[in-house]
Amino acid sequence: MTKTLEAAIERLRELPEEQQESLARILLEEIEAHDEWDASTGANPQRVAEISTEVRAAYHRGECEPLDPDKL
């Protein structure tokens, strides 16, 4: 376990149980999402490379717009 994770767990131990549960659920959801992303991209590396090439080409053609978080 990394020192950073150990420090985070020590901080979590100081929180009320309800906050611990809430943060633990968030962490587990993030780990699950990461695993799903790895599985989907790992299963299709050629397609990921193709999409990346397409996006870079579109960017260089000026077809991409900056992301506006207020419009999401």
Side-chain angles (χ1 to χ4, degrees), residues 5-25:
L5 185 54
E6 287 177 357
I9 290 171
E10 284 303 313
R11 293 282 310 271
L12 285 168
R13 286 186 173 120
E14 298 170 3
L15 298 174
E17 188 175 317
E18 185 176 302
Q19 282 183 297
Q20 290 181 23
E21 284 294 321
S22 177
L23 291 169
R25 281 192 296 276

Side-chain angles (χ1 to χ4, degrees), residues 15-63:
L15 298 174
E17 188 175 317
E18 185 176 302
Q19 282 183 297
Q20 290 181 23
E21 284 294 321
S22 177
L23 291 169
R25 281 192 296 276
I26 291 169
L27 181 57
L28 290 171
E29 288 172 6
E30 286 296 318
I31 291 169
E32 190 172 310
H34 185 271
D35 289 347
E36 289 174 6
W37 175 259
D38 281 351
S40 69
T41 57
N44 302 295
Q46 183 60 37
R47 183 62 185 134
V48 172
E50 291 169 2
I51 292 170
S52 177
T53 299
E54 291 171 21
V55 169
R56 282 194 304 272
Y59 173 79
H60 289 296
R61 290 190 304 266
E63 298 172 356

